[in-house]
Amino acid sequence: MYQRVSFSNIDLFGDFWEKRQDINREVTIYSIRDRFEDTGRFQAFDMIPPEQGGVKPHIFWDSDIAKWIESVAYIIEKHPDSELESKVESVIDKIEAHQGADGYFNLYFTSVEPMNRFTNRDAHELYCAGHLIEAAIAWAKATGRERFLHLMQKYVDYIEKVFVEEESAAFATPGHEEIELALYKLYQYTGERRYFNLALHFINKRGTVAAENSRYNQSHCPVREQKTAEGHSVRACYLYAAMADLAAESGDAELRSACEQLFDNIYRKRCYITGGVGSSCQGEAFTVDYDLPNAGAYAETCAAIALAFFAGRMQRITPNPAYADIIERVMYNGMLSGVSLNGKEFFYENPLEIIHACRHRNVSVHDAEHYPDARRQEIFGCSCCPPNVTRFISSIADYQYTYDENTVFVHQYMSGVANFDINGAAVKISQKTNYPISGDIDIVAKNMKGKILAVRIPFWSKKYSLYLDGGKSDKEIKDGYIYIAVKNDMMSLTLHLDMKPRVMYSDPRNAADAAKISLCRGPLVYCMEGCDNTYPLRSIRLVLPLEAEEFYNQALDCIQISAKAIVCEPPKGEEELYYSNPTVKAITSEWIPYYAFANREECDMLVWCAYNQ
Amino acid sequence: MYQRVSFSNIDLFGDFWEKRQDINREVTIYSIRDRFEDTGRFQAFDMIPPEQGGVKPHIFWDSDIAKWIESVAYIIEKHPDSELESKVESVIDKIEAHQGADGYFNLYFTSVEPMNRFTNRDAHELYCAGHLIEAAIAWAKATGRERFLHLMQKYVDYIEKVFVEEESAAFATPGHEEIELALYKLYQYTGERRYFNLALHFINKRGTVAAENSRYNQSHCPVREQKTAEGHSVRACYLYAAMADLAAESGDAELRSACEQLFDNIYRKRCYITGGVGSSCQGEAFTVDYDLPNAGAYAETCAAIALAFFAGRMQRITPNPAYADIIERVMYNGMLSGVSLNGKEFFYENPLEIIHACRHRNVSVHDAEHYPDARRQEIFGCSCCPPNVTRFISSIADYQYTYDENTVFVHQYMSGVANFDINGAAVKISQKTNYPISGDIDIVAKNMKGKILAVRIPFWSKKYSLYLDGGKSDKEIKDGYIYIAVKNDMMSLTLHLDMKPRVMYSDPRNAADAAKISLCRGPLVYCMEGCDNTYPLRSIRLVLPLEAEEFYNQALDCIQISAKAIVCEPPKGEEELYYSNPTVKAITSEWIPYYAFANREECDMLVWCAYNQ
């Protein structure tokens, strides 16, 4: 089993991610707080029943605030902020004040339906509990204060009593998974095995209770028999993440095999090129293999994050390069599209195409056809994604390194310094890079003599060059990584990855993308936006071999790509819907990174493009 | 104003349409009767209230039976059939027995909700009345017996009283248009102007009553101000057909202009290449310009037929070749796909693409996404399409010719003989052709000396040759027709149209079809079916210039086309969802006429195809 180098041990600076962490810390965390304040989410912790003038909480409001607290904890670890800190403490005060004597805590089921505690499997109680536990652990780590943690431990005692000892709840397993991975974190933090056992209890019980048989929440069969990703995609990936935690820790071969098959199914058949998953709005769910509609995509921001959780935990089992690949896709595309460049607005769903005309059908009845929002919003009724984005970005360095006593893996390239111990020895790894604008990466490893440094060569970098202590190396890639035996106390390494714009094809069975290509540059998926292009995006056909030029777009702070393309039009003067004598016109198509779309005017957008070779 | 040569004056034989009329007469009309019998639609005419054990009719059952009767009338005109005839007479007996003393007749509102007569605008009473009127006229023409007609005239008297004299109904205009064109037919048959006036009353009233403001049924503004096709597409085209009737008859320039603008909007922006219209299942409706989804198409069979009704009536005003073009598209594609080759099964919706994988999403909740049936059915709950298909096919020769005192237009090519009078002079036009298998057409015109014969050169025939009395003619096309001054009592004409397979492009704004092409041959749109092709249809890219071979497919009785194409696949052994190093493979794609799809195994289908030039 490998360990992850915690983001707590890494300082990021001078790079793509430092900018995003700055916005996250200076804008996003406050903006979410304000919107949660506006909507009564903080006020709900006063637990005044609605009939006495209190706010009526939604069943998942606990989790919204918990994820926000978790993110505050991650932020203040490195950037103390008394305003945020005291806000969190005031929430903890209220939790302490209103927690049941038995340890139970839930906004909705305390203030609205106290008689119905643990009677409705779909009511998110254990899900909320899981997020509160994660927040409490993060808060203890960040502040050293364990008041919140102890409150949540008391709640866990109660949950254990109800679900294991007494089996007195109306259901046996969580309707929305989350608490399983929280319990594993609690085990990691406290070292108390009973938390591990409670997580394992929920995992083992799932899919074995006839009354709870539901593909929607992964209860259609025991988890070890699940081979394809099914149902609600956030629930699914939270479950798989917990399964991976337990498999990594316990060496449970069956659990590991299920995790590997589930990951493989997602990676090879049910995942957007952006790292988005859960292609259907119907049940916010995985559907069938190769069913990845673009304009109608669901691809919830939380689901992409949950997939990164899953992949990150799988990296603790084995350094399959697919895990780092998926994490990279999510980081730079399917998660990052979830937040606007100004840090204030969020997508819940992340379509890979927007056709405005179809969005505005003027049908007078039954207009129930689903298209995702074309604009980000500051808050949603179900606002799970914004606090998930902020906690993910503030802890993103978690995905950079894993290690065991012999080897340190470099999975992701971000400027910064990591300081961590391997069996008591202080290791320091520095990275300097302008990735993903540039593919040049300088790494300095200290105190690793006698160990292996494994650096990832992303699958998309067809050419690369590696220099070790200034000398060119011809070491070969083995399963996605170059393994370097470190011979000195200090080793310097320079890596040049191939950032030339490239096109990606999709499996012919993927109907939405077959006979199309996607333009990418490094880890970034690109897209065309209507405001940059004169012709309807669907009519543009990229010309292969690709003829592309790059330039810096200051407004969006990114590399824009101009690529040669053609369009067919009816002959001038004719306005025929169908015609046989096209005028073929050479044009230049303009592409920006997918994550940057919808930050200007409302317009069409397209990732997968027709082409001519 | 031009007159249409009625199908009554035309015998079709030895051609594509004779075969279809044979199946229609021998199989379809009986099969529909049987299914209507099974489902209680005939029994409902016994008017036994449901609480006394009678069948509870649906509000549109009158129209189902009426259209079936209309088709029986068209069939027995040329092929007497005592079984069908006595069945119809038995229905008329029941109508006579149960018609109100005041003339009212409606299955549902007599036997189920007698107190609610004419209170619900959406309850299809006037729509049913219209179809009964059309049936009664057809029956009178076919049999010379006017009993049914007189019953319906009595009903029309009552309708006039309620809607014009007393204005005592709860609404002013029909919720589902149809009676307007029926009243015009009644005027044509009887010569009584008051029927014309009643039709005009409904037309003029529409869109002027605030309480009836609805885009769904074309009541959003007065009809003369309508410029884009809106709402429920069958209702819309029935309305437009009636408007065209009245405009042709009256010379009303405003009405004519509205009709021309509406037709133009449909033809240039809201019509599938198959002649299908009403692209959305939401409201079975027209949506916005260039919104023509393929897999999610609605394109109801009735809507294509209604569009042909509209275009056919517009031909009486002016011989714009777009009218004949639309009628041809409908005849050979969007209407004909509505019935199986065996004549027994029907499509309500006519998609231009089927992707089976997406149809079988295994989502456990809220699976409301709409995909049309991939198999035809013998009957539907709302079974308007089957009897519409049978009456359309049995009267299809209606679309072949129009004329005035100077000119006879040949709009459609079908083997047969037309005998009709022009100002008392007996004209005879014979056609001999194997169209659309072959593009060779022989026409003989008798007794037209001094007049003009105008023969249509379809827009798709880039080359053609014309022989007059054996000698090659170089007469030029003028607005889609070649105008030939007939110099002898008998003139023979031979036309060779270019039937070479060709590709069609679509307007770049048509997102569903942009950057794709459609393969066509003569008037037939072609499609690929999964059972003929090895690769997923969406992954196939046709190679341009087109390299195609034709052969006769005996099982489907059609010309099949094999066309050179390419597909891209991941390199052998790799199973990557996204990849950068495709293997490009040359393949042969197999195409059959669109109307023939879904007559074998259930499989994928595609009309608009990617391409490489």
Side-chain angles (χ1 to χ4, degrees):
Chain A
M1 184 175 65
Y2 299 94
Q3 300 301 326
R4 167 188 282 183
V5 177
S6 166
F7 76 91
S8 304
N9 297 90
I10 302 172
D11 292 309
L12 297 183
F13 46 75
D15 176 30
F16 191 86
W17 289 106
E18 191 192 23
K19 285 186 197 170
R20 269 136 194 100
Q21 290 196 330
D22 287 350
I23 294 171
N24 187 51
R25 191 180 64 248
E26 292 161 9
V27 179
T28 309
I29 197 79
Y30 281 96
S31 177
I32 294 174
R33 181 200 62 180
D34 293 346
R35 296 296 81 73
F36 282 1
E37 202 77 77
D38 299 344
T39 52
R41 280 167 164 87
F42 283 107
Q43 206 188 321
F45 282 78
D46 292 331
M47 294 277 198
I48 300 169
E51 63 273 18
Q52 295 170 34
V55 174
K56 183 178 174 184
H58 198 282
I59 52 168
F60 37 62
W61 276 9
D62 312 55
S63 70
D64 289 343
I65 299 296
K67 278 189 285 188
W68 180 81
I69 292 175
E70 189 183 340
S71 185
V72 170
Y74 296 163
I75 287 169
I76 67 166
E77 252 192 49
K78 309 229 160 136
H79 297 86
D81 182 322
S82 57
E83 184 181 345
L84 294 175
E85 195 171 337
S86 61
K87 181 73 184 174
V88 172
E89 287 294 345
S90 78
V91 174
I92 298 170
D93 290 343
K94 291 175 187 176
I95 293 172
E96 187 167 22
H98 298 294
Q99 183 172 29
D102 52 11
Y104 183 81
F105 182 84
N106 183 282
L107 293 180
Y108 181 84
F109 284 97
T110 302
S111 64
V112 185
E113 291 190 40
M115 305 307 293
N116 291 328
R117 187 189 284 191
F118 292 137
T119 57
N120 179 355
R121 188 170 178 240
D122 288 329
H124 290 54
E125 279 160 293
L126 293 175
Y127 167 81
C128 285
H131 277 302
L132 287 166
I133 294 163
E134 287 198 87
I137 297 165
W139 197 246
K141 281 188 189 172
T143 64
R145 295 192 295 272
E146 299 198 333
R147 177 172 64 129
F148 188 12
L149 184 74
H150 294 151
L151 300 175
M152 289 304 109
Q153 284 179 294
K154 191 174 165 195
Y155 189 8
V156 174
D157 291 345
Y158 177 69
I159 289 168
E160 193 178 20
K161 179 163 158 265
V162 169
F163 284 88
V164 182
E165 289 160 35
E166 298 177 350
E167 296 189 329
S168 57
F171 52 91
T173 60
H176 192 315
E177 302 93 321
E178 152 61 25
I179 196 169
E180 300 87 342
L181 65 85
L183 289 168
Y184 178 75
K185 276 191 182 177
L186 191 57
Y187 156 70
Q188 281 186 305
Y189 185 75
T190 62
E192 289 186 45
R193 192 74 185 179
R194 66 196 183 95
Y195 299 128
F196 179 97
N197 291 339
L198 183 54
L200 192 61
H201 166 83
F202 283 131
I203 295 281
N204 287 342
K205 198 87 182 169
R206 179 164 294 274
T208 67
V209 182
E212 293 176 11
N213 186 327
S214 163
R215 187 177 297 271
Y216 173 64
N217 53 28
Q218 301 75 46
S219 308
H220 50 296
C221 66
V223 298
R224 287 173 182 75
E225 294 168 22
Q226 297 187 20
K227 293 177 176 20
T228 55
E230 301 292 343
H232 187 277
S233 56
V234 178
R235 294 173 204 234
C237 291
Y238 281 180
L239 168 67
Y240 307 153
M243 287 164 62
D245 275 336
L246 303 189
E249 183 80 29
S250 67
D252 182 328
E254 270 190 322
L255 205 51
R256 172 181 167 166
S257 168
C259 287
E260 286 171 346
Q261 289 181 72
L262 288 164
F263 184 87
D264 201 65
N265 175 247
I266 294 171
Y267 185 64
R268 297 191 189 283
K269 295 173 181 168
R270 300 189 178 193
C271 180
Y272 286 100
I273 194 167
T274 56
V277 286
S279 57
S280 176
C281 65
Q282 314 295 345
E284 312 183 303
F286 287 105
T287 63
V288 293
D289 291 346
Y290 307 111
D291 178 32
L292 297 159
N294 290 312
Y298 199 73
E300 184 183 338
T301 307
C302 283
I305 290 171
L307 178 58
F309 289 169
F310 178 28
R313 282 152 171 93
M314 291 302 287
Q315 282 184 323
R316 294 183 59 213
I317 301 176
T318 179
N320 181 336
Y323 304 141
D325 176 32
I326 276 288
I327 291 166
E328 190 176 68
R329 284 181 205 268
V330 169
M331 283 169 64
Y332 291 97
N333 305 288
M335 180 286 298
L336 199 53
S337 60
V339 58
S340 61
L341 295 178
N342 68 15
K344 282 190 177 184
E345 291 141 20
F346 304 90
F347 273 137
Y348 195 103
E349 302 161 61
N350 295 272
L352 277 79
E353 180 170 15
I354 293 173
I355 306 172
H356 252 78
C358 304
R359 296 178 56 78
H360 296 130
R361 297 175 157 197
N362 53 356
V363 179
S364 55
V365 291
H366 313 308
D367 198 354
E369 194 138 350
H370 180 82
Y371 290 104
D373 284 336
R375 299 299 300 177
R376 294 181 185 85
Q377 300 179 26
E378 291 199 23
I379 180 100
F380 303 90
C382 172
S383 210
C384 47
C385 299
N388 230 350
V389 167
T390 178
R391 70 174 180 147
F392 189 81
I393 289 179
S394 54
S395 59
I396 199 151
D398 260 358
Y399 298 94
Q400 199 165 16
Y401 304 102
T402 58
Y403 67 98
D404 65 4
E405 64 271 28
N406 302 314
T407 311
V408 176
F409 286 90
V410 184
H411 300 299
Q412 304 297 339
Y413 298 110
M414 307 187 239
S415 268
V417 177
N419 284 288
F420 57 103
D421 279 9
I422 302 182
N423 291 341
V427 169
K428 177 173 180 173
I429 301 179
S430 312
Q431 281 195 36
K432 202 175 157 199
T433 178
N434 193 26
Y435 190 87
I437 300 254
S438 153
D440 302 335
I441 302 134
D442 291 316
I443 296 178
V444 176
K446 280 192 188 161
N447 206 16
M448 275 190 58
K449 188 173 171 182
K451 300 195 197 313
I452 306 284
L453 186 71
V455 297
R456 173 171 162 255
I457 307 299
F459 80 95
W460 46 259
S461 182
K462 291 299 155 200
K463 292 183 301 186
Y464 68 92
S465 51
L466 177 67
Y467 295 83
L468 293 177
D469 294 322
K472 181 139 197 201
S473 164
D474 57 359
K475 273 198 163 296
E476 291 203 345
I477 304 176
K478 195 186 142 202
D479 289 337
Y481 293 83
I482 298 181
Y483 290 78
I484 301 152
V486 181
K487 299 198 175 106
N488 302 307
D489 284 341
M490 181 161 130
M491 184 187 75
S492 77
L493 177 161
T494 298
L495 183 62
H496 301 290
L497 297 174
D498 180 10
M499 305 301 278
K500 222 173 67 187
R502 66 187 201 283
V503 300
M504 296 292 289
Y505 298 75
S506 181
D507 189 286
R509 289 165 288 191
N510 176 358
D513 306 333
K516 294 183 182 170
I517 52 178
S518 155
L519 182 63
C520 300
R521 183 183 180 279
L524 297 175
V525 173
Y526 271 65
C527 70
M528 287 189 284
E529 273 203 303
C531 58
D532 293 321
N533 288 279
T534 311
Y535 285 84
L537 304 183
R538 278 276 191 112
S539 72
I540 295 173
R541 293 194 300 146
L542 274 174
V543 171
L544 295 189
L546 190 65
E547 291 181 40
E549 285 181 19
E550 304 181 359
F551 63 95
Y552 178 68
N553 178 322
Q554 191 151 21
L556 299 177
D557 184 25
C558 69
I559 300 294
Q560 181 167 331
I561 301 173
S562 303
K564 198 175 153 187
I566 51 175
V567 291
C568 287
E569 290 184 296
K572 271 268 172 303
E574 292 187 25
E575 206 189 2
E576 298 293 338
L577 182 49
Y578 306 109
Y579 57 96
S580 57
N581 47 345
T583 303
V584 182
K585 213 162 174 172
I587 63 160
T588 302
S589 59
E590 298 298 334
W591 299 73
I592 60 166
Y594 171 74
Y595 73 76
F597 91 92
N599 277 287
R600 295 171 297 176
E601 63 191 86
E602 202 163 329
C603 59
D604 286 0
M605 185 275 290
L606 179 141
V607 168
W608 287 95
C609 186
Y611 68 103
N612 202 62
Q613 65 196 143
Chain B
M1 183 174 66
Y2 298 94
Q3 300 301 328
R4 168 187 280 183
V5 178
S6 165
F7 76 91
S8 305
N9 297 89
I10 302 173
D11 291 309
L12 297 183
F13 45 75
D15 176 30
F16 190 86
W17 289 107
E18 191 193 23
K19 285 186 196 169
R20 268 136 195 100
Q21 290 196 330
D22 287 350
I23 293 169
N24 187 51
R25 190 178 66 248
E26 290 161 10
V27 178
T28 308
I29 196 77
Y30 281 95
S31 177
I32 294 174
R33 180 199 63 180
D34 294 345
R35 296 296 81 74
F36 282 1
E37 201 77 78
D38 299 343
T39 51
R41 279 167 165 86
F42 284 106
Q43 206 188 318
F45 282 78
D46 291 331
M47 294 276 199
I48 300 169
E51 62 275 15
Q52 294 170 34
V55 173
K56 182 177 172 183
H58 197 284
I59 52 168
F60 36 62
W61 277 10
D62 312 56
S63 70
D64 289 343
I65 299 297
K67 279 188 286 189
W68 180 82
I69 291 175
E70 189 182 340
S71 184
V72 170
Y74 296 162
I75 287 168
I76 67 168
E77 253 194 48
K78 310 231 158 133
H79 297 86
D81 182 321
S82 58
E83 183 181 345
L84 293 176
E85 196 171 338
S86 61
K87 180 72 182 173
V88 172
E89 288 293 346
S90 79
V91 175
I92 298 170
D93 289 344
K94 291 176 187 175
I95 292 172
E96 187 167 24
H98 298 293
Q99 185 172 28
D102 51 12
Y104 183 81
F105 182 84
N106 183 283
L107 291 179
Y108 181 84
F109 284 96
T110 302
S111 64
V112 184
E113 292 191 40
M115 304 308 292
N116 292 327
R117 187 189 284 191
F118 292 138
T119 58
N120 179 355
R121 188 168 178 241
D122 289 329
H124 290 57
E125 279 162 294
L126 293 175
Y127 167 82
C128 285
H131 277 301
L132 287 165
I133 294 163
E134 286 198 88
I137 298 164
W139 197 246
K141 281 188 188 171
T143 65
R145 295 192 296 270
E146 299 197 333
R147 176 171 66 130
F148 189 13
L149 183 74
H150 293 150
L151 299 175
M152 288 305 110
Q153 285 179 291
K154 192 174 164 194
Y155 189 8
V156 173
D157 291 345
Y158 177 69
I159 289 167
E160 193 177 21
K161 180 162 156 268
V162 169
F163 285 88
V164 182
E165 290 161 35
E166 297 178 351
E167 296 189 329
S168 57
F171 51 94
T173 60
H176 192 315
E177 302 92 321
E178 149 62 25
I179 196 170
E180 299 86 343
L181 67 83
L183 289 168
Y184 178 75
K185 276 191 181 176
L186 190 58
Y187 156 69
Q188 282 187 304
Y189 186 76
T190 63
E192 290 186 44
R193 192 74 185 178
R194 63 193 186 97
Y195 299 129
F196 180 96
N197 291 339
L198 183 55
L200 192 60
H201 166 83
F202 283 132
I203 294 282
N204 287 342
K205 197 88 182 169
R206 179 164 296 274
T208 67
V209 182
E212 293 177 10
N213 185 327
S214 162
R215 188 176 297 270
Y216 174 64
N217 54 27
Q218 301 76 46
S219 309
H220 50 297
C221 68
V223 299
R224 287 172 183 75
E225 296 169 20
Q226 298 187 19
K227 292 175 177 20
T228 55
E230 301 293 342
H232 187 278
S233 56
V234 178
R235 294 173 205 233
C237 291
Y238 281 179
L239 167 67
Y240 307 153
M243 286 164 63
D245 275 336
L246 303 190
E249 184 79 30
S250 67
D252 182 328
E254 272 190 321
L255 204 52
R256 172 182 167 166
S257 169
C259 288
E260 286 172 346
Q261 290 181 71
L262 289 164
F263 184 87
D264 201 65
N265 175 247
I266 295 172
Y267 186 64
R268 297 193 189 281
K269 295 173 182 168
R270 302 190 176 191
C271 180
Y272 286 100
I273 195 168
T274 56
V277 285
S279 56
S280 176
C281 65
Q282 314 295 344
E284 313 184 304
F286 287 105
T287 62
V288 292
D289 290 346
Y290 306 112
D291 178 32
L292 298 159
N294 290 310
Y298 200 73
E300 183 183 339
T301 307
C302 283
I305 290 171
L307 178 60
F309 289 170
F310 178 28
R313 282 152 171 94
M314 291 302 287
Q315 282 184 323
R316 294 184 58 216
I317 300 177
T318 179
N320 180 336
Y323 305 141
D325 175 32
I326 275 288
I327 291 166
E328 190 176 68
R329 285 181 205 267
V330 168
M331 284 169 65
Y332 291 98
N333 304 290
M335 180 286 298
L336 200 52
S337 60
V339 58
S340 60
L341 295 178
N342 69 13
K344 283 190 177 183
E345 290 140 21
F346 305 90
F347 274 136
Y348 195 102
E349 301 160 64
N350 296 272
L352 276 78
E353 179 170 15
I354 293 173
I355 307 172
H356 252 77
C358 304
R359 296 178 57 79
H360 295 130
R361 297 176 159 197
N362 53 357
V363 179
S364 55
V365 290
H366 313 307
D367 199 354
E369 194 138 352
H370 180 82
Y371 290 105
D373 284 336
R375 300 297 302 175
R376 293 180 185 85
Q377 300 179 26
E378 292 199 24
I379 180 101
F380 303 90
C382 172
S383 211
C384 48
C385 298
N388 230 350
V389 167
T390 178
R391 70 175 180 148
F392 189 81
I393 290 178
S394 54
S395 59
I396 199 150
D398 260 358
Y399 299 93
Q400 199 164 17
Y401 305 102
T402 59
Y403 66 98
D404 66 5
E405 64 272 25
N406 302 314
T407 311
V408 176
F409 286 90
V410 184
H411 300 298
Q412 304 296 340
Y413 299 111
M414 310 185 237
S415 266
V417 177
N419 285 288
F420 57 103
D421 278 11
I422 302 183
N423 291 341
V427 169
K428 176 175 182 173
I429 301 180
S430 312
Q431 282 194 37
K432 202 175 157 198
T433 179
N434 193 26
Y435 190 88
I437 300 254
S438 152
D440 302 335
I441 302 134
D442 291 318
I443 296 177
V444 176
K446 282 191 186 160
N447 207 16
M448 275 192 55
K449 188 175 171 180
K451 298 193 197 313
I452 306 285
L453 187 70
V455 297
R456 171 172 164 254
I457 307 299
F459 78 96
W460 47 257
S461 182
K462 292 299 154 200
K463 292 183 300 187
Y464 68 91
S465 50
L466 176 67
Y467 295 83
L468 295 176
D469 294 321
K472 181 140 197 198
S473 163
D474 56 2
K475 272 197 164 295
E476 291 201 347
I477 304 176
K478 197 186 140 200
D479 290 337
Y481 293 83
I482 297 180
Y483 290 79
I484 301 152
V486 182
K487 300 198 173 103
N488 303 306
D489 285 341
M490 181 162 131
M491 184 188 74
S492 77
L493 177 161
T494 298
L495 182 62
H496 302 290
L497 298 175
D498 180 10
M499 305 302 276
K500 221 174 68 187
R502 67 187 200 284
V503 299
M504 295 293 286
Y505 298 75
S506 181
D507 188 286
R509 289 165 288 192
N510 176 358
D513 305 334
K516 294 182 182 172
I517 52 178
S518 155
L519 182 63
C520 300
R521 183 183 181 280
L524 298 176
V525 173
Y526 271 65
C527 69
M528 288 189 283
E529 274 203 304
C531 58
D532 293 321
N533 289 278
T534 311
Y535 285 84
L537 305 182
R538 278 277 191 113
S539 73
I540 295 173
R541 292 193 302 146
L542 274 174
V543 171
L544 295 189
L546 191 65
E547 291 181 41
E549 285 181 19
E550 304 182 358
F551 62 95
Y552 179 67
N553 177 322
Q554 191 150 21
L556 298 177
D557 185 23
C558 69
I559 299 294
Q560 182 166 331
I561 300 173
S562 304
K564 197 175 152 187
I566 52 176
V567 290
C568 287
E569 288 184 297
K572 270 267 173 307
E574 294 186 24
E575 204 190 1
E576 299 294 336
L577 182 48
Y578 306 111
Y579 57 95
S580 56
N581 48 346
T583 304
V584 182
K585 213 163 173 173
I587 62 161
T588 302
S589 60
E590 298 297 335
W591 298 74
I592 61 166
Y594 171 74
Y595 73 76
F597 91 91
N599 277 285
R600 295 171 297 177
E601 64 193 83
E602 201 162 330
C603 59
D604 286 359
M605 183 275 288
L606 179 141
V607 169
W608 287 96
C609 186
Y611 68 103
N612 203 61
Q613 65 195 143

